[in-house]
Amino acid sequence: MKIGIVGLGLIGGSLGLALRSHGHTVLGVSRQPHTCQRAIARGAVDDASTTLSLLNAVDVIFLCTPLAAMQATVVELVPHLAAETILTDVGSVKGWVVETIAPLWANFVGGHPMAGTAESGIEAAQQDLFVNAAYVLTPTETTPTQAIQVIEALVRPLQTRLYHCHPDDHDRAVAWISHLPVMTSASLIAACLGETDPAVLELAHALASSGFRDTSRVGGGNPELGVMMARYNQAALVGSLHAYRDTLNQLITQIEQADWRSLEALLKQTQQSRSEFL
Amino acid sequence: MKIGIVGLGLIGGSLGLALRSHGHTVLGVSRQPHTCQRAIARGAVDDASTTLSLLNAVDVIFLCTPLAAMQATVVELVPHLAAETILTDVGSVKGWVVETIAPLWANFVGGHPMAGTAESGIEAAQQDLFVNAAYVLTPTETTPTQAIQVIEALVRPLQTRLYHCHPDDHDRAVAWISHLPVMTSASLIAACLGETDPAVLELAHALASSGFRDTSRVGGGNPELGVMMARYNQAALVGSLHAYRDTLNQLITQIEQADWRSLEALLKQTQQSRSEFL
């Protein structure tokens, strides 16, 4: 199959490597000529260009730009496409994307491959990035069945775990397990920085080990990504944050009132329930 | 040197293995005969007993019981001790321990080796558990200098990173980097469990990956340990929790008001500052 990829970063580049390894022809578009050169050199694409007209004869296009660039990209892309071209995206928020892109192109399927690394960009692309990763498709009532089947047939051989759900259910689920953790983790780091005694802060720096490292990891990640989660998944994230604050208040009250029995019951529940997520 | 260890769990057993490897004679006491046998079989002690009178001629005793058992253990131990015997402990809270134990035995130095594993008990003991780990001593104005020097001379060769501080400074520092993370992490798991739509909760279970795994790890740990932190470090932990709640409220307001510039500034600060802790 002839496949287009717009945006040759970590995800776009990794998709190119993986799809080419399964025999597909991949054409890539990036705004940066250097990225096009590197994508070709790394074998992530058969050819690449800075102009979207390169994609006028592909069967399927994966939109791999940042969320903020997606709408403008599709508006610019549409005049180049044949009606049967299938469009899909890899954005980490689905409600906003589906609402924005589906009216611009009927043959569109929202998608979210849940894979990543600490690095970004074409140099970080890996052929096996999607092996064992969840890949969520979010078709709606109006999504053409054939488009869904074509995308499934492309991504299943990459050894992804395929899920289907409504865009809003996707956004609420990732608010819980991906976006909320970023905000609670960032709050942990920011709160520690508020320690006013320099001796205590220095000691905290010296004594922090694996517990702090793990709990603070995602809160110390890419700030632009954090803002993007909040911006495009605002409603679901605010809902999760309110529920989290209620739980935190309950736990603070238990500790203030020395209600050790209730605290132990809560911690037993979290110990038992964590395994259901992992 | 002749060393006694009371409590032959992960920390007591590992101290025994490490100190014996440096040529010391180690006598252990556990309430469980089976634990005494296993400690001898594993080489963590030269001899072991269920009665504290075994320790009537040792130079130094490490108290490695849970915090809740420490006071009663020292009351029972004191009649067996010569005045020059040095007592130290390994409790993860120091203000409460020093206030409780120092009046019972003048020749006492509070200590906290900051090492651990997910496992507990004598079978989990490791000779190299303390290599590169922080080991905090919390002497006060009345702690005999010679006692501090003897403990330092014992634990430094285990390749620990030695720190000295006031018990209260220790407790505030570990509230930030150890006890607060447990509570924020447990709140994350508990909040997710509040999702009322089974389809969304099931999807959250399926999609959770490394970000959720790391952020929830310490909140899914041993409930008794969590209660112990809250119980014996209540004041410092409540202070940290209040500061954390203030930070969280600030972040929630930024997201509710779509103040992306302030949110990005906060996330840039947490990204930059995290490395100072690790």
Side-chain angles (χ1 to χ4, degrees):
Chain A
M1 201 166 259
K2 211 166 170 184
I3 294 168
I5 296 179
V6 185
L8 298 170
L10 170 68
I11 300 294
S14 298
L15 269 173
L17 287 166
L19 291 168
R20 287 191 76 223
S21 79
H22 284 81
H24 301 290
T25 300
V26 176
L27 302 178
V29 173
S30 167
R31 283 182 306 181
Q32 307 296 330
H34 179 70
T35 304
C36 292
Q37 291 159 19
R38 291 299 306 149
I40 295 169
R42 291 214 54 205
V45 294
D46 292 274
D47 196 7
S49 167
T50 56
T51 56
L52 290 165
S53 60
L54 179 73
L55 307 182
N56 63 0
V58 299
D59 304 301
V60 174
I61 295 174
F62 286 83
L63 292 167
C64 303
T65 69
L67 287 174
M70 222 171 255
Q71 185 173 18
T73 300
V74 174
V75 168
E76 203 183 327
L77 188 60
V78 159
H80 302 287
L81 302 185
E84 59 272 24
T85 306
I86 298 166
L87 212 58
T88 187
D89 78 305
V90 300
S92 56
V93 170
K94 295 270 63 78
W96 179 86
V97 168
V98 172
E99 282 165 32
T100 307
I101 306 301
L104 298 173
W105 194 251
N107 220 0
F108 171 75
V109 190
H112 182 200
M114 299 192 66
T117 66
E119 308 299 311
S120 60
I122 183 67
E123 303 303 342
Q126 301 170 15
Q127 186 180 311
D128 62 354
L129 188 68
F130 306 104
V131 174
N132 293 323
Y135 201 116
V136 188
L137 295 178
T138 58
T140 65
E141 302 77 39
T142 59
T143 307
T145 306
Q146 199 245 345
I148 304 170
Q149 288 166 347
V150 168
I151 302 297
E152 284 181 352
L154 282 175
V155 303
R156 201 190 299 276
L158 312 187
Q159 297 176 59
T160 57
R161 296 182 284 116
L162 263 177
Y163 296 92
H164 283 218
C165 67
H166 190 276
D168 293 343
D169 285 356
H170 167 277
D171 288 356
R172 285 168 63 189
V174 297
W176 286 122
I177 55 90
S178 174
H179 303 172
L180 176 62
V182 168
M183 302 306 158
T184 66
S185 177
S187 298
L188 175 65
I189 303 170
C192 292
L193 298 175
E195 169 60 54
T196 51
D197 185 332
V200 172
L201 188 58
E202 196 182 329
L203 198 58
H205 285 163
L207 302 184
S209 64
S210 61
F212 189 83
R213 184 180 62 231
D214 285 0
T215 317
S216 67
R217 183 174 68 79
V218 296
N222 186 321
E224 288 78 18
L225 264 181
V227 172
M228 181 277 297
M229 294 168 180
R231 187 166 193 155
Y232 293 97
N233 199 18
Q234 188 183 23
L237 179 56
V238 166
S240 291
L241 279 164
H242 285 178
Y244 178 81
R245 180 165 58 188
D246 290 346
T247 306
L248 182 74
N249 279 331
Q250 183 189 351
L251 185 144
I252 291 175
T253 302
Q254 288 168 354
I255 297 177
E256 285 175 338
Q257 298 182 350
D259 181 1
W260 310 130
R261 194 170 300 202
S262 298
L263 179 64
E264 186 165 359
L266 186 149
L267 295 177
K268 277 187 173 160
Q269 194 191 17
T270 60
Q271 184 187 40
Q272 281 162 15
S273 303
R274 179 172 178 260
S275 60
E276 292 162 22
F277 288 89
L278 300 163
Chain B
M1 200 167 260
K2 211 166 171 184
I3 293 167
I5 295 178
V6 185
L8 298 170
L10 170 68
I11 300 292
S14 298
L15 269 174
L17 287 166
L19 291 167
R20 286 190 76 224
S21 79
H22 283 82
H24 301 288
T25 301
V26 175
L27 302 178
V29 174
S30 166
R31 283 182 306 183
Q32 306 296 332
H34 179 70
T35 303
C36 293
Q37 291 159 20
R38 291 300 305 150
I40 295 169
R42 291 215 52 205
V45 295
D46 292 274
D47 197 7
S49 167
T50 55
T51 57
L52 291 165
S53 59
L54 178 72
L55 307 182
N56 64 0
V58 299
D59 304 301
V60 174
I61 295 175
F62 286 83
L63 293 166
C64 303
T65 68
L67 287 173
M70 222 171 256
Q71 184 172 20
T73 301
V74 174
V75 168
E76 205 184 325
L77 188 62
V78 158
H80 301 288
L81 301 186
E84 60 272 22
T85 306
I86 298 166
L87 212 57
T88 188
D89 79 304
V90 300
S92 57
V93 170
K94 296 270 61 79
W96 179 85
V97 167
V98 172
E99 281 165 32
T100 307
I101 306 302
L104 298 172
W105 194 254
N107 220 0
F108 170 74
V109 190
H112 181 199
M114 299 192 65
T117 66
E119 307 298 311
S120 60
I122 184 67
E123 303 303 343
Q126 302 170 15
Q127 186 180 310
D128 61 356
L129 188 69
F130 306 103
V131 174
N132 293 324
Y135 201 116
V136 187
L137 296 179
T138 58
T140 64
E141 303 76 41
T142 59
T143 308
T145 306
Q146 199 245 344
I148 304 170
Q149 288 167 346
V150 168
I151 302 299
E152 284 181 353
L154 281 175
V155 302
R156 202 190 297 276
L158 311 187
Q159 299 175 59
T160 56
R161 296 181 284 117
L162 262 177
Y163 296 92
H164 283 217
C165 67
H166 190 276
D168 293 342
D169 285 355
H170 167 276
D171 287 357
R172 286 169 61 191
V174 298
W176 287 120
I177 54 90
S178 174
H179 303 172
L180 176 62
V182 168
M183 302 307 158
T184 66
S185 176
S187 298
L188 174 67
I189 303 169
C192 292
L193 297 175
E195 169 60 54
T196 51
D197 184 333
V200 173
L201 188 58
E202 197 182 326
L203 198 58
H205 286 163
L207 302 184
S209 65
S210 61
F212 189 83
R213 183 180 63 232
D214 285 0
T215 318
S216 69
R217 183 174 66 81
V218 297
N222 186 322
E224 288 77 18
L225 265 181
V227 173
M228 180 279 295
M229 294 168 180
R231 187 167 193 154
Y232 293 98
N233 199 19
Q234 188 183 22
L237 179 55
V238 165
S240 291
L241 280 164
H242 285 178
Y244 178 81
R245 180 166 57 188
D246 291 346
T247 305
L248 182 74
N249 280 331
Q250 183 190 349
L251 186 144
I252 291 174
T253 302
Q254 288 168 355
I255 297 177
E256 285 174 338
Q257 299 183 349
D259 181 0
W260 309 131
R261 195 170 297 205
S262 297
L263 179 64
E264 186 166 358
L266 187 149
L267 295 177
K268 277 188 173 158
Q269 193 190 20
T270 59
Q271 185 187 40
Q272 281 161 15
S273 303
R274 180 172 178 260
S275 60
E276 293 163 20
F277 287 90
L278 299 164

